[in-house]
Structure formats: C-alpha cells, structure tokens
Amino acid sequence: MSTPTGVGTGARIAAYRRLHRLTQKQLATKATVSYSLLVKVEQGRRPASGSFIAAVARAMGVPVTTFTGQPYAADHAHDRLDGPLTDLRAALDNYDFPLDELPVRPLPDIDADVHAVLLARRKANFGRIVAMAPPLIDELVQVSQTAQGRPAEEAHRLLAHVYRSAYDVAYGLGLSDLVALLLSRMDYSAQRAGDPYLMSLYGYMRAYSTFATGRHEVGQKITARARETVEPGVRAGELPALCSAGNLHLRAAMLATRQGDADSARNELAEARRLAEQLGREVVGGARDGAHVQSFGPTNVAIHAAAAEMELGNHGKSLQLAKLVHPPADYFPDRLGHFWIDTARSQLWTGRTDAALASLLKARKAAPQQAKYHPSVRETTAGLVRAARRTPEALIGYASWCGAQL
C-alpha cells in the first residue's frame, strides 16, 4: 500500500490500521498508547507526537515515514534538490576504488570546501550540502585510495564529515535508503581516519537513524557501546571524550522518551548536564590535536531537557524549561530551529496558538529548509489551522510554504 500523500498523519494512521484489520482499541493496546488520543489523532483533532507515531508504526510493522508522509518528493523538485540528490547517490557508488585520470586538488583546498559543507550543515542548508557533496566525495575517495599514511587518513576524516553532513539532509527529507547508505560509507571512512572519536560520532548518528524505524532499544545499545569506547577519555578529562559522551547521553535521553521511560530519560539528561558543567562552556566542534570534537555545552543540554518533556507529553513543564534556554548570539541555527519547532508543538498542545505560530516563524528564520521539511512542523501547522476560528494570513502563508496537509 503506497503512502497517501494528500492527507495528514492521523488519516494515514487510520488507513493503515484498517489495512491491518485492527480496531482503534486493538491498535491502542498493541502500541501501548492512549485510546482516546488515538481517536483524536485519527480525527485530526490532536497532532501526533514523535513518540506516538513511533509506537503505532512499530505496532503495525511499518517505517515512521509511512505516517509522516516522507519523503516529500514534490517539494524536492520545487527546491531543486532532485538533481543533486541523484548526483549524491551516484557519488556513493564508489568508496574503495581509485579511478583513472580523476584530477584532485591538494588536501588543504579540499578541506576548505569541506569546512563550507560543515557550515552549511549547521545552517541546515540542504541545497548547498547536496550540491557540494558529490564532487567532494569523488575527490576524497580518489585521495583515500591513492595516498598513503596520514594523507589517506585525512581524506577519510574529511569523507566522514561529508557523509555525516549529507546524512542530515537524507534524514531530514525522510530518505531512509539514502540514510542507510551514508551510514555505511561513514562507517568505512571513520574506521580508517585514525581518530577514535569519529567512530563515536558514527555511533551517535547510527543511533539517530533508529528514530525513523522505531527500534529505540537498538539505539540504546548503540549509544551504550559508543560510550564505552570514550569512557577512558572521560575519566582522563579529555575534551573530545567529554563532548562525545555528553552528546551520547543526550541521544540516549531522547531514545528513552520514545520508549516512554521518563526516569531513564531524566537520568541521561542529568549525566549530560554533569558533563556540561564540567566543561563550563559551549564547545564548538572541530578537529583538536588530531581528534574530532563534537559541539556540546549547557545550552544543548537545556534544549534537550525541554524537548524530552515535550516528547513525554509534559507540555507545561517543557515550556517552563524552554524559558531557561538562553543561547549565545551566534548559536547553531540548526539547533535553534529544532528548539523552536519543539516549543511550537508544546505551545499548540497548551492552547497558546499565537505563541506557537511565532515559534514556527522563528524556526523558519533560524533554519528555513530544516523547518520546511521537518514533519513536526507540518503536523503543528495543520493543528494550528484546525484550532483557529479565523485563520491568520501569516498562518495560511506558512502552511502553504511548508506543505502542511490540512
């Protein structure tokens, strides 16, 4: 059964429930979700949270993207992403063979372009990432397969970052097959980059992909194993290890929320907060002394704390915690965008519709393409339209822009 693209999440859930010959009470029991909430979601009277969607998807044995409506193919074409995405898939065909007469630039020149890709990732600029990634992959694979020693390791290090940046695009667009392929390529290069913290980053990204499949227990195993690899560095107080461990605890916290395990989520957040306090500052990621450092700090922990309560359905508490988020002026646009997306959802659930629209507009300003393609944005926007007695022009424009199915 193909995914209906002209309807909202609730209608998709209802269609697949009927396909599986389940009553609403049977699905609610099987997915361990509230029966009354399921009824309201199917009727379009309540937006579906990420944890709710994951639960019903797992219960019916389908990917989460089945219900979010991803990938949004028509939007890809509109934003001129289809061509570059085709080029990206073609570039990923080769990762372990040198090609005859493929010209490559010196590594410092390539490194500058990879840095530009990383900046684009921080801005969630999907178009720039997928435009730059394919030729960079071709060049770096050639270097990695023809050079020896440290230059080959450096090429693999840069490749891992390009793959990771492209992964963010693929995940954001709901392209699960491309996500899996990019993870495989990242694993290959991270193992050959001579930097153990890149393998930790790979584990962090691999665990993230389980949000789309609903295999959150697998994600927890992945994060636990990755933390084991960095634990010696944590005990020694090494910056890359502290940042890696902190991010892994945050990932584990969000996985726990999808499992409905509030205690574990808050315990993981407490560990992340302890590590952030040990650092005492916001750390901007990059290469330090030959080791990869993930961005991490108190602001990231505060954002995740609010997000965790939102996912657990504690929207009032989430908004209280959101008031404690005070990001630096130059904070990462992708994290700010996600923060405003989550805040808008809790504001909708608590009836603060004007504030929710304002938060969505802030998300669009911070990271436009992230906001446009995030399924939560479409779900929240549709919920705002249904809740409005008289739909504001700004909301009508926003719904049209993001493609919300009303």
Side-chain angles (χ1 to χ4, degrees):
M1 181 176 179
S2 60
T3 302
T5 57
V7 297
T9 300
R12 295 189 191 100
I13 291 173
Y16 274 83
R17 175 180 57 76
R18 295 187 189 102
L19 179 68
H20 285 73
R21 299 180 180 178
L22 294 169
T23 66
Q24 289 174 321
K25 286 188 176 180
Q26 287 171 333
L27 177 56
T29 300
K30 190 174 182 181
T32 319
V33 298
S34 163
Y35 165 70
S36 62
L37 178 58
L38 173 62
V39 172
K40 291 174 182 177
V41 168
E42 287 195 356
Q43 293 175 345
R45 293 190 291 125
R46 280 288 191 180
S49 68
S51 55
F52 180 92
I53 295 172
V56 295
R58 184 74 180 279
M60 289 190 277
V62 297
V64 169
T65 50
T66 299
F67 299 136
T68 59
Q70 296 169 293
Y72 309 123
D75 288 355
H76 298 176
H78 181 267
D79 286 344
R80 300 181 181 178
L81 295 177
D82 281 354
L85 283 168
T86 299
D87 293 340
L88 175 61
R89 291 180 187 277
L92 294 172
D93 282 344
N94 183 37
Y95 63 99
D96 56 351
F97 289 113
L99 300 177
D100 296 335
E101 300 179 0
L102 179 64
V104 295
R105 297 170 294 161
L107 271 175
D109 294 344
I110 301 174
D111 184 46
D113 280 352
V114 173
H115 182 67
V117 169
L118 292 175
L119 289 177
R121 185 185 71 78
R122 274 301 178 198
K123 296 178 180 179
N125 189 333
F126 293 174
R128 184 163 174 77
I129 294 169
V130 296
M132 294 187 69
L136 281 173
I137 291 171
D138 284 342
E139 276 190 297
L140 287 167
V141 168
Q142 184 76 356
V143 175
S144 72
Q145 299 303 313
T146 56
Q148 301 290 327
R150 189 57 197 159
E153 290 182 344
E154 179 67 7
H156 279 298
R157 181 184 72 83
L158 295 175
L159 271 170
H161 287 298
V162 175
Y163 292 144
R164 186 266 170 92
S165 299
Y167 170 104
D168 280 8
V169 177
Y171 189 91
L173 298 179
L175 301 170
S176 55
D177 64 323
L178 189 55
V179 165
L181 183 56
L182 285 161
L183 275 176
S184 174
R185 299 294 181 261
M186 185 180 178
D187 183 22
Y188 179 86
S189 282
Q191 290 187 44
R192 292 163 175 78
D195 180 354
Y197 292 106
L198 276 178
M199 284 305 301
S200 171
L201 176 63
Y202 163 72
Y204 175 82
M205 302 308 297
R206 183 184 168 197
Y208 193 28
S209 70
T210 65
F211 284 106
T213 62
R215 295 300 304 274
H216 306 122
E217 75 284 3
V218 175
Q220 293 286 23
K221 294 287 187 182
I222 294 168
T223 57
R225 179 180 293 177
R227 284 203 305 269
E228 289 176 1
T229 66
V230 302
E231 185 56 33
V234 171
R235 290 195 296 268
E238 297 173 2
L239 180 66
L242 294 172
C243 291
S244 292
N247 277 293
L248 288 166
H249 280 296
L250 293 178
R251 178 68 82 234
M254 299 312 297
L255 287 164
T257 66
R258 295 294 179 94
Q259 295 171 297
D261 188 347
D263 289 342
S264 292
R266 290 165 186 153
N267 288 338
E268 296 285 359
L269 283 166
E271 285 300 309
R273 189 174 295 109
R274 180 182 62 80
L275 292 169
E277 291 171 353
Q278 185 173 343
L279 289 170
R281 60 189 174 92
E282 303 290 341
V283 175
V284 178
R288 312 279 179 88
D289 299 323
H292 172 69
V293 178
Q294 284 183 264
S295 300
F296 180 67
T299 302
N300 198 18
V301 176
I303 287 174
H304 276 77
E309 296 301 332
M310 182 274 295
E311 286 286 356
L312 290 167
N314 303 321
H315 297 288
K317 185 172 183 179
S318 175
L319 293 176
Q320 290 177 352
L321 292 174
K323 292 179 181 179
L324 303 179
V325 176
H326 302 292
D330 58 348
Y331 199 62
F332 312 113
D334 60 331
R335 287 185 182 169
L336 279 179
H338 214 299
F339 168 69
W340 289 118
I341 289 169
D342 289 343
T343 300
R345 174 170 290 278
S346 285
Q347 288 166 331
L348 171 61
W349 274 78
T350 53
R352 306 176 197 186
T353 54
D354 289 344
L357 177 57
S359 293
L360 288 178
L361 291 170
K362 290 176 182 178
R364 179 178 179 175
K365 182 178 180 181
Q369 288 188 310
Q370 178 192 55
K372 181 171 185 177
Y373 286 105
H374 199 292
S376 180
V377 168
R378 300 185 178 212
E379 189 76 2
T380 301
T381 303
L384 287 173
V385 172
R386 296 188 190 102
R389 293 182 179 178
R390 179 179 295 176
T391 309
E393 288 296 325
L395 179 55
I396 294 172
Y398 199 96
S400 176
W401 170 75
C402 74
Q405 301 295 338
L406 307 178

